């Protein structure tokens, strides 16, 4: 059956919309040699607030008084629970392409590549993973659009700071992991806003799943920062994987010396 969107989720207007996944070279090598996608546990991405609504939003939505000790304890419990709920989601992140952006290369593929596909093709290769309850949809940006209290809405909403990433989010939702979901309580039975104990081994930091790369990848674009020999190296990897796709340099290659690094982006944000 088709991969569902998230609760009240968003999708591109065109199901054949182009999507890019930026990655470092070693990740691309693993992708084509092993034929598998990597899904990262939601709390292990580059946003500490991933899948977590702002405290002020929580207080407003649940009618909590930020200065009432009883409501503070309730808020700590709710946030601590949500921080564990998000750990059952494993994410694989793509970029809804409109134009090639230097910032995306700097943040996610400075020394690597971008694999190109479409929204529909990604959904199709996720279908065989039905036992992992795959979902696919667009990320919303900002918390001022009527978000209701729902973990899937939370896992697909990010702060406005990330809006330029235009993220397409594929997720595996692991259930029955053996997690007691009480890892945010200390020995005095006081709730905390984050788990204070590590998740069980059944919730690893990341998981791999095999996919049909020939049905997914339509093109490979090499970073504008590539050394001269890198294009040939990527072409060789693609041939060995028996993928009939074009490998081409980034359209920004001629401007590589002027493009920002990830450190420069952070410095001026």
């Amino acid at each position: 059956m088709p991969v569902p969107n998230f609760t009240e989720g968003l999708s591109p207007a065109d199901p054949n919309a182009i999507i890019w996944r930026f990655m470092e070279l070693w990740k691309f090598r693993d992708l084509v040699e092993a034929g598998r996608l990597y899904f990262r546990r939601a709390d292990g991405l580059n946003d500490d607030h991933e899948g977590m609504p702002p405290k002020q939003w929580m207080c407003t939505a649940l009618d909590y008084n930020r200065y009432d000790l009883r409501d503070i304890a309730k808020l700590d419990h709710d946030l601590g629970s949500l921080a564990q709920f998000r750990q059952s989601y494993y994410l694989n992140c793509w970029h809804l392409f409109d134009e090639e952006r230097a910032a995306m290369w700097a943040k996610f593929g400075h020394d690597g590549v971008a694999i190109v596909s479409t929204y529909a093709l990604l959904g199709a290769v996720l279908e065989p993973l039905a036992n992992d309850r795959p979902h696919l949809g667009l990320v919303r940006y900002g918390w001022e659009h009527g978000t209701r209290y729902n973990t899937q809405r939370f896992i697909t909403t990010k702060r406005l700071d990330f809006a330029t990433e235009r993220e397409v989010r594929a997720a595996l939702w692991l259930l029955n992991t053996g997690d007691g979901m009480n890892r945010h309580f200390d020995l005095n039975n006081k709730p905390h806003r984050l788990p204070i104990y590590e998740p069980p081994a059944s919730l690893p930091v990341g998981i791999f799943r095999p996919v049909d790369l020939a049905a997914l990848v339509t093109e490979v674009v090499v970073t504008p920062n590539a050394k001269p020999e890198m294009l040939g190296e990527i072409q060789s990897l693609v041939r060995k994987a028996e993928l009939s796709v074009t490998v081409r340099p980034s359209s920004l290659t001629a401007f590589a010396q002027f493009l920002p690094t990830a450190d420069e982006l952070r410095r001026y944000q």
Side-chain angles (χ1 to χ4, degrees), residues 215-237:
L216 174 66
V217 181
T218 61
E219 189 178 27
V220 178
V221 183
V222 180
T223 174
N225 306 295
K227 296 179 180 178
E229 65 273 13
M230 186 173 175
L231 183 64
E233 181 181 355
I234 300 300
Q235 290 172 330
S236 177
L237 286 170

Side-chain angles (χ1 to χ4, degrees), residues 10-238:
L10 301 176
S11 301
D14 179 3
N16 294 311
I18 303 297
I19 59 175
W20 286 31
R21 176 163 167 79
F22 295 84
M23 61 183 65
E24 299 167 32
L25 181 56
W26 69 270
K27 292 181 180 178
F28 177 73
R29 189 188 313 275
D30 180 83
L31 173 76
V32 297
E33 290 180 348
R36 60 189 187 178
L37 284 180
Y38 179 68
F39 294 81
R40 182 79 171 182
R41 202 174 67 206
D43 62 321
L45 301 182
N46 62 342
D47 178 11
D48 292 339
H49 303 282
E50 192 74 57
M52 299 288 291
K55 287 179 287 186
Q56 181 56 51
W57 184 94
M58 290 282 286
C59 288
T60 301
L62 300 175
D63 196 25
Y64 286 166
N65 184 333
R66 289 185 297 164
Y67 307 104
D68 185 300
L69 293 179
R70 291 167 299 182
D71 282 355
I72 291 173
K74 291 178 184 177
L75 178 63
D76 290 347
H77 171 55
D78 290 335
L79 289 172
S81 296
L82 287 173
Q84 291 165 92
F85 292 152
R86 68 174 174 172
Q87 291 178 331
S88 63
Y89 285 91
Y90 286 77
L91 310 178
N92 183 266
C93 307
W94 295 68
H95 170 68
L96 183 62
F97 184 83
D98 58 348
E99 62 180 354
E100 198 169 342
R101 300 168 185 263
M104 293 300 293
W105 283 114
K107 292 173 71 172
F108 303 111
H110 179 76
D111 296 317
V113 305
I115 59 172
V116 181
S117 188
T118 71
Y119 186 86
L121 290 176
L122 177 58
V125 301
L126 293 175
E127 286 185 27
L129 305 179
N131 289 340
D132 290 321
R133 296 174 65 94
H135 287 71
L136 180 64
L138 301 181
V139 168
R140 288 180 172 87
Y141 296 96
W143 290 86
E144 304 303 323
H145 44 62
T147 300
R148 64 186 179 90
Y149 198 98
N150 180 277
T151 55
Q152 288 206 355
R153 283 293 297 261
F154 298 157
I155 207 70
T156 53
T157 301
K158 293 178 68 70
R159 289 173 293 143
L160 285 172
D161 301 4
F162 295 91
T164 57
E165 295 179 4
R166 294 169 53 84
E167 186 181 335
V168 174
R169 176 158 287 186
L172 304 181
W173 184 17
L174 304 190
L175 301 178
N176 303 319
T177 58
D179 187 3
M181 301 299 294
N182 287 318
R183 293 179 284 107
H184 61 303
F185 284 98
D186 61 24
L187 294 177
N188 295 315
N189 206 35
K190 179 182 181 300
H192 293 255
R193 295 183 179 182
L194 289 172
I196 56 177
Y197 304 106
E198 291 297 315
S202 51
L203 286 172
V205 173
I207 55 178
F208 291 95
R209 291 295 184 267
V211 296
D212 184 354
L213 291 184
L216 174 66
V217 181
T218 61
E219 189 178 27
V220 178
V221 183
V222 180
T223 174
N225 306 295
K227 296 179 180 178
E229 65 273 13
M230 186 173 175
L231 183 64
E233 181 181 355
I234 300 300
Q235 290 172 330
S236 177
L237 286 170
V238 167

